[in-house]
Amino acid sequence: MRNPLAIVAAASLLGTVALTGCAKAKHDGTSSGGGPTQITMWTHSAGNPGELAVYKKIIGDFNASQKKYQVVQQNFPQGSYNDAITAAAAARNLPCLLDMDGPIMPNWAWAGYLRPLDLPTSLTDSLLPTAVGRYKGKVYSAGYWDAALSIFARKSVLDKAGIRIPTVDKPWTLDEFDAAVGKLKGSGYKTPLDLGAADKGEWWPYAYSPMLQSSGGDLIDRGAMKSADGALNGPDSVKFFSWFQKAFKNGWANSDGPIGNQRFIDDKVALSYTGVWNAKDALDKVGSDLLILPPVDFGKGPKIGGGSWQWGISSGCGDEQAEGARAYLKFSFQDKYLTAFADSQVVIPATDGAAAASKYFGANGSLRQFAVLSRKFALARPATPGYPLISTTFEKAAKDIMNGADVTSTLDTAVKAIDTDIKSNNGYGN
């Protein structure tokens, strides 16, 4: 099973492609000999047989459904996808259809690599909000699924410790959470909480900036998208990061591996902050004792990260090819295909219809809670071309604070780095 964030971690590298040159890409899949117009499509899915099987089905069905267009898929291993995109962008030869991590889309749109999708609003409005990539009021990307985070626990462990089981309507407050973790540590768990801090890259803003936002802070002022000052280093942010540092100082959490959910499965930790991609394995090992809990309310309402891999059309794709790419995307968003993705990859379907048909996320599905959490609490990362720098800056600052750095000065340094980048790029057009 794929961990979506293992791929999302490449976002910063992909962002450098858009920043190294702003010439538009050109499509290289034109028709010849009077046959159907070829629509070249690139994915990062090589090595993922479950996902490739769904793409093969969609493409085969679409190509057989009409004679005007032929989608031709090329798959890249995760490790070489970045290099392929970089080379194609430099040569102005990007494919017509390409997938990308949701948070990086604004950078690509700003740099001129993408054209608006121009899909029917009836389609995009039917998707999870975090499965639709919007920049400056236009839709540039859309995805078949999303991921979501939760806190895994064992009902038997919480009951024994006398800890209230939180619900979507009444999640834990921060005071309750602190008390619960303290009780669990006192009951014998050396490290009761796994926050996933051994991971790296995009996991950090995806996992921890929602906690920051639940506290009242943010990565950037989302109103103007011109500065992080007051958002990332304001009083609410200082309060959150002081708690974050305390969690490690008190021994509630640590940054030791392994990455993933194994320590929870082995009952080495009582609470695991992790994603839907680890849910099936946990369910298989823990069974009916598994609880999929909502995020903690740090004071301004619970939040979790949203926005994962999505599809776009390159700006160099000629009008005829773009029409074909659009036709393919419209065709591909049928519920049956989204359900197939959800059940083969254990990810949240982007439509209610697809979720209803899913064996995991339907009304009686064992992982239905994730679909509920995504609808209710998911928040996309800021839709700004400066996001790649924001992401890496946030990761460094949070890791420094975790390791004992002064909270206020570390956040001020992060804000300065982000604001300097924005100014050096003329505000990214804002």
Side-chain angles (χ1 to χ4, degrees), residues 40-358:
T40 305
M41 169 180 162
W42 285 9
T43 82
H44 64 272
S45 302
N48 189 336
E51 185 166 309
L52 289 178
V54 181
Y55 280 129
K56 182 178 179 180
K57 174 64 174 172
I58 299 172
I59 293 169
D61 289 352
F62 174 74
N63 288 345
S65 73
Q66 44 75 51
K67 297 181 179 179
K68 189 174 181 180
Y69 306 109
Q70 181 184 39
V71 173
V72 179
Q73 182 183 11
Q74 186 171 357
N75 307 308
F76 295 83
Q78 175 188 326
S80 62
Y81 187 68
N82 298 342
D83 292 339
I85 293 291
T86 301
R92 306 181 190 180
N93 199 29
L94 285 168
C96 239
L97 283 164
L98 66 166
D99 60 355
M100 71 203 80
D101 184 39
I104 211 66
M105 178 279 294
N107 187 288
W108 286 30
W110 165 76
Y113 286 119
L114 301 175
R115 62 191 297 163
L117 286 187
D118 291 330
L119 292 173
T121 55
S122 58
L123 191 162
T124 52
D125 286 350
S126 73
L127 304 177
L128 287 170
T130 48
V132 181
R134 290 182 167 86
Y135 175 62
K136 289 190 174 295
K138 296 182 179 180
V139 174
Y140 282 89
S141 60
Y144 305 129
W145 52 271
D146 205 353
L149 294 171
S150 170
I151 298 172
F152 289 4
R154 287 174 168 83
K155 185 177 186 301
S156 59
V157 169
L158 296 191
D159 285 346
K160 184 178 179 179
I163 297 170
R164 179 181 74 86
I165 296 174
T167 65
V168 168
D169 294 328
K170 193 177 180 182
W172 278 327
T173 64
L174 183 56
D175 286 342
E176 281 185 293
F177 186 52
D178 286 353
V181 175
K183 279 187 178 181
L184 292 167
K185 188 171 178 65
S187 73
Y189 286 98
K190 182 179 179 181
T191 306
L193 174 64
D194 185 355
L195 285 173
D199 212 334
K200 59 184 179 180
E202 190 58 22
W203 165 257
W204 280 72
Y206 175 76
Y208 308 130
S209 69
M211 295 179 175
L212 171 68
Q213 290 140 1
S214 178
S215 299
D218 209 336
L219 296 167
I220 191 172
D221 175 3
R222 295 196 187 216
M225 295 288 189
K226 290 183 176 181
S227 175
D229 193 29
L232 184 54
N233 61 350
D236 291 330
S237 296
V238 171
K239 181 179 179 181
F240 164 71
F241 274 109
S242 297
W243 174 89
F244 188 73
Q245 188 176 74
K246 181 180 74 172
F248 294 92
K249 184 177 180 180
N250 287 358
W252 296 347
N254 62 38
S255 58
D256 296 342
I259 295 171
N261 200 43
Q262 193 60 45
R263 286 194 291 174
F264 174 74
I265 288 173
D266 293 340
D267 202 22
K268 299 288 182 62
V269 298
L271 304 173
S272 179
Y273 182 54
T274 189
V276 64
W277 55 90
N278 284 322
K280 186 176 182 299
D281 191 39
L283 191 65
D284 290 344
K285 302 294 174 55
V286 179
S288 60
D289 202 23
L290 178 67
L291 294 173
I292 300 172
L293 303 179
V296 175
D297 183 352
F298 281 79
K300 305 291 185 179
K303 299 284 188 287
I304 57 174
S308 197
W309 282 79
Q310 299 170 4
W311 284 97
I313 301 174
S314 74
S315 56
C317 188
D319 289 344
E320 182 181 4
Q321 286 78 30
E323 183 180 339
R326 199 172 297 115
Y328 168 78
L329 288 178
K330 288 168 63 177
F331 182 92
S332 73
F333 275 96
Q334 295 180 58
D335 283 344
K336 62 181 180 181
Y337 299 132
L338 274 60
T339 299
F341 271 113
D343 288 350
S344 68
Q345 302 301 297
V346 193
V347 288
I348 301 163
T351 66
D352 289 337
S358 166

